[in-house]
Amino acid sequence: MTWLWLFPLAALLAAAYRWQFWRLPKKGLTVLMYHHIGHTAPDDAQYPFTISPQHFQAQLDMLQKHGFTPIGLDELKAAFQTGKPLPAKPVLLTFDDGYADNFQNLFPVLQKRKVKALIFLVTDFIGKEPGYMTWQQVRQMQESGLVQFGSHTLDHARLRRLPQEDILRQLRQSKAVLEEKLGVACEAFCYPFGSGGFDKRVRPLVFQAGYLFDFSTKPGINPWPWKGKKTLLRAFPRGGETLTDFYIQITRGKSKF
């Protein structure tokens, strides 16, 4: 029966559709979302959130090869507020939570490569919880001029489950702690649990609390100039992915569905 060949073709097309290579590259601001820089086993729960230092450097090589320019929060703020042009292919490296391996494994790479990054801190965990940075380490990274910091709430709360007064407490107090500890304005916020951590009630409170930028886990490339109508999107390079996956991430905003 001649129509039987349609089944394998349909299966092939369905598999290909899952990957994003067939979509055209998008222009705009690429924001990358990381967590751990280190080593862990494939069966570890943190494996999808962990990139080895060697693979991270290979990703930086790929960014350079394809003409991407890493920027910091200061450049993003200047472009947003004054219209100062961003590089042709801007990319912002972001790291969630404030893990100790960001100081131990990420920071030496940033120093070696002179690359900037933005780290979102869970302020109640810094200097208190095992596996997280100390305030001394945070300040050392800040003093390098390569790393800036934003808020990830006080205790990684799922904000949409909280009453308004508690949401504002999480937003305002974490911001105040960062400003007291680091001596600079805290203007970037990242929602814990990504898209599942906030709703239409929460987002206006972020700006009410005094933040300029809000980042989610929604994948994609950000059209520029950013109008603030939606959260800043972030591509998510996962542990175990190839450099081909990474190229699709930085040019399409995600590598697969």
Side-chain angles (χ1 to χ4, degrees):
M1 300 173 67
T2 57
W3 54 267
L4 289 177
W5 65 272
L6 292 173
F7 286 100
L9 177 61
L12 179 62
L13 291 174
Y17 184 77
R18 186 185 178 208
W19 274 261
Q20 299 291 301
F21 63 83
W22 53 272
R23 293 184 182 272
L24 293 175
K26 297 179 180 179
K27 294 182 179 181
L29 169 68
T30 299
V31 183
L32 298 177
M33 175 178 64
Y34 295 96
H35 293 77
H36 295 282
I37 299 296
H39 299 276
T40 191
D43 60 351
D44 191 288
Q46 291 301 308
Y47 183 71
F49 304 96
T50 305
I51 305 292
S52 73
Q54 295 78 13
H55 194 63
F56 179 65
Q57 292 202 66
Q59 291 178 346
L60 294 180
D61 290 338
M62 177 163 282
L63 289 171
Q64 182 178 24
K65 175 182 177 182
H66 292 283
F68 285 84
T69 302
I71 64 169
L73 184 61
D74 284 344
E75 290 100 318
L76 185 66
K77 179 181 176 181
F80 177 64
Q81 291 188 321
T82 70
K84 182 178 180 179
L86 289 174
K89 292 184 177 181
V91 59
L92 176 64
L93 309 180
T94 68
F95 296 79
D96 289 7
D97 302 321
Y99 294 111
D101 58 48
N102 288 188
F103 180 80
Q104 297 158 355
N105 300 327
L106 167 66
F107 189 37
V109 176
L110 299 180
Q111 290 176 302
K112 176 183 176 181
R113 305 290 290 260
K114 299 294 187 289
V115 171
K116 295 183 177 182
L118 171 62
I119 300 178
F120 296 105
L121 300 179
V122 183
T123 56
D124 281 0
F125 296 174
I126 303 303
K128 298 177 181 178
E129 295 292 331
Y132 288 83
M133 289 189 287
T134 67
W135 284 112
Q136 181 179 358
Q137 291 170 332
V138 169
R139 282 189 286 267
Q140 185 175 336
M141 296 177 85
Q142 181 194 37
E143 289 166 1
S144 73
L146 296 173
V147 185
Q148 291 173 280
F149 296 91
S151 169
H152 205 34
T153 73
L154 293 169
D155 53 14
H156 209 270
R158 197 181 292 270
L159 296 178
R160 67 181 178 86
R161 294 182 177 176
L162 301 179
Q164 179 169 319
E165 63 184 38
D166 287 343
I167 297 171
L168 285 170
R169 182 180 65 85
Q170 290 276 348
L171 297 170
R172 288 171 174 166
Q173 289 189 15
S174 61
K175 186 176 191 295
V177 168
L178 286 164
E179 291 176 345
E180 178 187 358
K181 293 287 188 181
L182 302 180
V184 296
C186 176
E187 298 175 314
F189 178 79
C190 176
Y191 299 96
F193 303 100
S195 305
F198 71 100
D199 54 25
K200 63 181 181 180
R201 183 176 57 100
V202 174
R203 191 167 187 247
L205 299 179
V206 172
F207 299 104
Q208 182 179 324
Y211 296 95
L212 193 61
F213 301 106
D214 66 330
F215 295 76
S216 71
T217 60
K218 293 181 179 179
I221 306 296
N222 298 280
W224 197 262
W226 180 64
K227 303 297 185 182
K229 294 181 179 179
K230 297 181 179 180
T231 64
L232 284 161
L233 310 174
R234 297 191 294 171
F236 177 19
R238 291 168 172 80
E241 289 188 336
T242 67
L243 287 176
T244 299
D245 290 309
F246 183 71
Y247 176 75
I248 299 171
Q249 293 269 18
I250 62 178
T251 55
R252 277 78 166 176
K254 58 181 178 179
S255 61
K256 59 181 76 74
F257 285 107

